[in-house]
Amino acid sequence: MQFRNLKLVSNVVFGRGCFNQLDEILAPHRKGDAPMIFLLDHFFEGKPLASRIPLRGKDKILIVDVTYEPKTMQVDKLAQELKEEFGTVSGIIGIGGGSAMDLAKAVSLMMNNTGSSADYQGWDLVKVAGVYKAGIPTLSGTGAEVSRTTVLTGPVRKLGMNSDFTPFDQIVLDPELTKDAPANQRFYTGMDCYIHCIESLEGTFLNEFSKSYGEKALQLCQDIFLGNKAWNDANDDKLMMASYAGGMSIAYSQVGVAHAVSYGLSYLLGTKHGIGNCIVMNHLEEYYPAGVKEFKQMVAENNIDIPVGICNGLSEEQFDAMLNVSLGMKPLWENALGKNWESIMTREKLRALYEKL
Ligand code: NAD
Ligand code: ZN
């Protein structure tokens, strides 16, 4: 038996207002006059947070458009432009939701790896460490702050650059940064965390490590999203830690059916991760009966609309493309359904599931 030797984020700071320590946190990682590059989620352009970024010397803020999830082309272009302008940089700091954080991880890796980020979509293909990288979440739920992947849509697949070089060197968990998130977005991204917990806890890869983190994250999600309570600051704190713990849980196990199916949706239709997972979870009673029941209760209590009918009118080729992306997520299916998953989740069965969405 070969046990995974998990590579973790090196440094973690947590607390309301800890963003103010960013300058001192970055100082030891500055290499001569090579700049720190801040990839800032476009939501914060012109907002107070942008002016709190501790710029020094040639440091630069790049506003990143996260209307669509990160693409390999976007990563390659950012890395190329930085190499042309600066040669090298001291670090890449991602400030935003999962999209901005994933961009920062991928650009950091591509500062030191040759070719295109698409060449590294898969497991353990990255061979050289990137430049110093830090992640600062402004939405809670994806677990991107702790994961060993950065999810990218490339020319042929939507798949992460999964590697031991991918986790951040530093994360700054300041729940104050999430307080302006709109209720719908907060719910969709929060449900990403809830679904991570269900998929991890109900999966065949489960072990005590994953279970300990998964149960804690699940309990926090239930506390936050059930009981018809008004949103308050404490919920931002809790959801940020739920995201962290949920991410730690799947780091040592795997996600499952909702993610495998939702990857197909986002590859073909551009459906964003959080909402895509919710669209799929709505129809997974067969696989996660208790989790889906509770999920629906959360949807109802929080007055959230989950889109339906998004696969209506798709062509054969389009269904095929989604099926190929989804069935390519082998570890996810194996975690969800066991070693002989292929005899359980046939193309026909998966096709029927997509038709319901
Ligand atoms: P997101 O980063 O895509 O952002 C969603 C929207 O919220 C954007 O319009 C953004 O501008 C806005 N936003 C961000 N912070 C805000 C704030 N504080 N207030 C108001 N608006 C704000 O959303 P997400 O759900 O955090 O991330 C989804 C992305 O994360 C996808 O690209 C997905 O592939 C990726 N992901 C990565 C991992 C991983 O382990 N690397 C895991 C899950 C998801
Ligand atoms: Zn997820």
PDB file of all heavy atoms in Angstrom, residues 117-131:
ATOM      1  N   SER A 117       0.411  25.771 -20.429  1.00  0.00           N
ATOM      2  CA  SER A 117      -0.182  25.152 -19.233  1.00  0.00           C
ATOM      3  C   SER A 117      -1.022  23.933 -19.625  1.00  0.00           C
ATOM      4  O   SER A 117      -1.193  23.016 -18.821  1.00  0.00           O
ATOM      5  CB  SER A 117      -1.014  26.176 -18.457  1.00  0.00           C
ATOM      6  OG  SER A 117      -1.884  26.877 -19.325  1.00  0.00           O
ATOM      7  N   ALA A 118      -1.512  23.907 -20.874  1.00  0.00           N
ATOM      8  CA  ALA A 118      -2.310  22.753 -21.321  1.00  0.00           C
ATOM      9  C   ALA A 118      -1.481  21.466 -21.288  1.00  0.00           C
ATOM     10  O   ALA A 118      -2.029  20.371 -21.120  1.00  0.00           O
ATOM     11  CB  ALA A 118      -2.847  22.998 -22.727  1.00  0.00           C
ATOM     12  N   ASP A 119      -0.152  21.605 -21.440  1.00  0.00           N
ATOM     13  CA  ASP A 119       0.711  20.413 -21.407  1.00  0.00           C
ATOM     14  C   ASP A 119       0.737  19.762 -20.017  1.00  0.00           C
ATOM     15  O   ASP A 119       1.182  18.630 -19.868  1.00  0.00           O
ATOM     16  CB  ASP A 119       2.174  20.778 -21.758  1.00  0.00           C
ATOM     17  CG  ASP A 119       2.289  21.464 -23.105  1.00  0.00           C
ATOM     18  OD1 ASP A 119       1.361  21.278 -23.930  1.00  0.00           O
ATOM     19  OD2 ASP A 119       3.273  22.200 -23.326  1.00  0.00           O
ATOM     20  N   TYR A 120       0.300  20.518 -19.009  1.00  0.00           N
ATOM     21  CA  TYR A 120       0.421  20.030 -17.629  1.00  0.00           C
ATOM     22  C   TYR A 120      -0.935  19.700 -17.003  1.00  0.00           C
ATOM     23  O   TYR A 120      -1.026  19.470 -15.803  1.00  0.00           O
ATOM     24  CB  TYR A 120       1.153  21.071 -16.775  1.00  0.00           C
ATOM     25  CG  TYR A 120       2.515  21.424 -17.329  1.00  0.00           C
ATOM     26  CD1 TYR A 120       2.708  22.586 -18.081  1.00  0.00           C
ATOM     27  CD2 TYR A 120       3.607  20.584 -17.116  1.00  0.00           C
ATOM     28  CE1 TYR A 120       3.951  22.905 -18.607  1.00  0.00           C
ATOM     29  CE2 TYR A 120       4.858  20.894 -17.634  1.00  0.00           C
ATOM     30  CZ  TYR A 120       5.027  22.061 -18.379  1.00  0.00           C
ATOM     31  OH  TYR A 120       6.262  22.367 -18.892  1.00  0.00           O
ATOM     32  N   GLN A 121      -1.991  19.718 -17.811  1.00  0.00           N
ATOM     33  CA  GLN A 121      -3.309  19.353 -17.280  1.00  0.00           C
ATOM     34  C   GLN A 121      -3.341  17.847 -17.055  1.00  0.00           C
ATOM     35  O   GLN A 121      -3.287  17.073 -18.019  1.00  0.00           O
ATOM     36  CB  GLN A 121      -4.407  19.733 -18.278  1.00  0.00           C
ATOM     37  CG  GLN A 121      -4.694  21.223 -18.337  1.00  0.00           C
ATOM     38  CD  GLN A 121      -5.797  21.497 -19.351  1.00  0.00           C
ATOM     39  OE1 GLN A 121      -5.556  21.536 -20.545  1.00  0.00           O
ATOM     40  NE2 GLN A 121      -7.013  21.659 -18.859  1.00  0.00           N
ATOM     41  N   GLY A 122      -3.417  17.463 -15.807  1.00  0.00           N
ATOM     42  CA  GLY A 122      -3.379  16.035 -15.498  1.00  0.00           C
ATOM     43  C   GLY A 122      -2.801  15.870 -14.106  1.00  0.00           C
ATOM     44  O   GLY A 122      -2.831  16.802 -13.297  1.00  0.00           O
ATOM     45  N   TRP A 123      -2.273  14.687 -13.848  1.00  0.00           N
ATOM     46  CA  TRP A 123      -1.746  14.420 -12.508  1.00  0.00           C
ATOM     47  C   TRP A 123      -0.218  14.304 -12.546  1.00  0.00           C
ATOM     48  O   TRP A 123       0.342  13.513 -13.303  1.00  0.00           O
ATOM     49  CB  TRP A 123      -2.384  13.157 -11.927  1.00  0.00           C
ATOM     50  CG  TRP A 123      -3.737  13.467 -11.351  1.00  0.00           C
ATOM     51  CD1 TRP A 123      -4.005  13.866 -10.063  1.00  0.00           C
ATOM     52  CD2 TRP A 123      -5.012  13.460 -12.022  1.00  0.00           C
ATOM     53  NE1 TRP A 123      -5.352  14.103  -9.894  1.00  0.00           N
ATOM     54  CE2 TRP A 123      -5.995  13.864 -11.075  1.00  0.00           C
ATOM     55  CE3 TRP A 123      -5.422  13.177 -13.334  1.00  0.00           C
ATOM     56  CZ2 TRP A 123      -7.351  13.964 -11.389  1.00  0.00           C
ATOM     57  CZ3 TRP A 123      -6.783  13.279 -13.644  1.00  0.00           C
ATOM     58  CH2 TRP A 123      -7.718  13.664 -12.684  1.00  0.00           C
ATOM     59  N   ASP A 124       0.436  15.154 -11.758  1.00  0.00           N
ATOM     60  CA  ASP A 124       1.886  15.099 -11.552  1.00  0.00           C
ATOM     61  C   ASP A 124       2.705  15.253 -12.829  1.00  0.00           C
ATOM     62  O   ASP A 124       3.727  14.600 -13.006  1.00  0.00           O
ATOM     63  CB  ASP A 124       2.258  13.809 -10.797  1.00  0.00           C
ATOM     64  CG  ASP A 124       1.528  13.758  -9.459  1.00  0.00           C
ATOM     65  OD1 ASP A 124       1.706  14.690  -8.663  1.00  0.00           O
ATOM     66  OD2 ASP A 124       0.740  12.814  -9.241  1.00  0.00           O
ATOM     67  N   LEU A 125       2.242  16.128 -13.698  1.00  0.00           N
ATOM     68  CA  LEU A 125       2.992  16.403 -14.924  1.00  0.00           C
ATOM     69  C   LEU A 125       3.940  17.586 -14.744  1.00  0.00           C
ATOM     70  O   LEU A 125       4.922  17.718 -15.468  1.00  0.00           O
ATOM     71  CB  LEU A 125       2.019  16.680 -16.081  1.00  0.00           C
ATOM     72  CG  LEU A 125       1.018  15.546 -16.382  1.00  0.00           C
ATOM     73  CD1 LEU A 125       0.010  15.962 -17.449  1.00  0.00           C
ATOM     74  CD2 LEU A 125       1.756  14.277 -16.810  1.00  0.00           C
ATOM     75  N   VAL A 126       3.632  18.450 -13.767  1.00  0.00           N
ATOM     76  CA  VAL A 126       4.500  19.612 -13.519  1.00  0.00           C
ATOM     77  C   VAL A 126       5.774  19.115 -12.844  1.00  0.00           C
ATOM     78  O   VAL A 126       5.715  18.373 -11.867  1.00  0.00           O
ATOM     79  CB  VAL A 126       3.795  20.634 -12.591  1.00  0.00           C
ATOM     80  CG1 VAL A 126       4.677  21.854 -12.372  1.00  0.00           C
ATOM     81  CG2 VAL A 126       2.446  21.048 -13.159  1.00  0.00           C
ATOM     82  N   LYS A 127       6.925  19.504 -13.377  1.00  0.00           N
ATOM     83  CA  LYS A 127       8.183  18.966 -12.838  1.00  0.00           C
ATOM     84  C   LYS A 127       9.036  20.013 -12.124  1.00  0.00           C
ATOM     85  O   LYS A 127       9.972  19.669 -11.412  1.00  0.00           O
ATOM     86  CB  LYS A 127       9.015  18.343 -13.973  1.00  0.00           C
ATOM     87  CG  LYS A 127       8.331  17.137 -14.631  1.00  0.00           C
ATOM     88  CD  LYS A 127       8.306  15.908 -13.699  1.00  0.00           C
ATOM     89  CE  LYS A 127       7.673  14.707 -14.374  1.00  0.00           C
ATOM     90  NZ  LYS A 127       6.407  14.290 -13.808  1.00  0.00           N
ATOM     91  N   VAL A 128       8.755  21.294 -12.339  1.00  0.00           N
ATOM     92  CA  VAL A 128       9.582  22.352 -11.763  1.00  0.00           C
ATOM     93  C   VAL A 128       8.698  23.275 -10.912  1.00  0.00           C
ATOM     94  O   VAL A 128       7.585  23.619 -11.315  1.00  0.00           O
ATOM     95  CB  VAL A 128      10.244  23.190 -12.888  1.00  0.00           C
ATOM     96  CG1 VAL A 128      11.179  24.234 -12.303  1.00  0.00           C
ATOM     97  CG2 VAL A 128      10.976  22.301 -13.871  1.00  0.00           C
ATOM     98  N   ALA A 129       9.203  23.676  -9.743  1.00  0.00           N
ATOM     99  CA  ALA A 129       8.439  24.576  -8.879  1.00  0.00           C
ATOM    100  C   ALA A 129       8.196  25.906  -9.576  1.00  0.00           C
ATOM    101  O   ALA A 129       9.024  26.359 -10.369  1.00  0.00           O
ATOM    102  CB  ALA A 129       9.203  24.804  -7.582  1.00  0.00           C
ATOM    103  N   GLY A 130       7.088  26.546  -9.272  1.00  0.00           N
ATOM    104  CA  GLY A 130       6.814  27.877  -9.799  1.00  0.00           C
ATOM    105  C   GLY A 130       7.495  28.930  -8.947  1.00  0.00           C
ATOM    106  O   GLY A 130       8.310  28.607  -8.069  1.00  0.00           O
ATOM    107  N   VAL A 131       7.163  30.200  -9.169  1.00  0.00           N
ATOM    108  CA  VAL A 131       7.649  31.260  -8.285  1.00  0.00           C
ATOM    109  C   VAL A 131       6.763  31.268  -7.035  1.00  0.00           C
ATOM    110  O   VAL A 131       5.695  30.631  -7.011  1.00  0.00           O
ATOM    111  CB  VAL A 131       7.621  32.650  -8.986  1.00  0.00           C
ATOM    112  CG1 VAL A 131       8.551  32.644 -10.200  1.00  0.00           C
ATOM    113  CG2 VAL A 131       6.198  33.064  -9.360  1.00  0.00           C
TER     114      VAL A 131
END
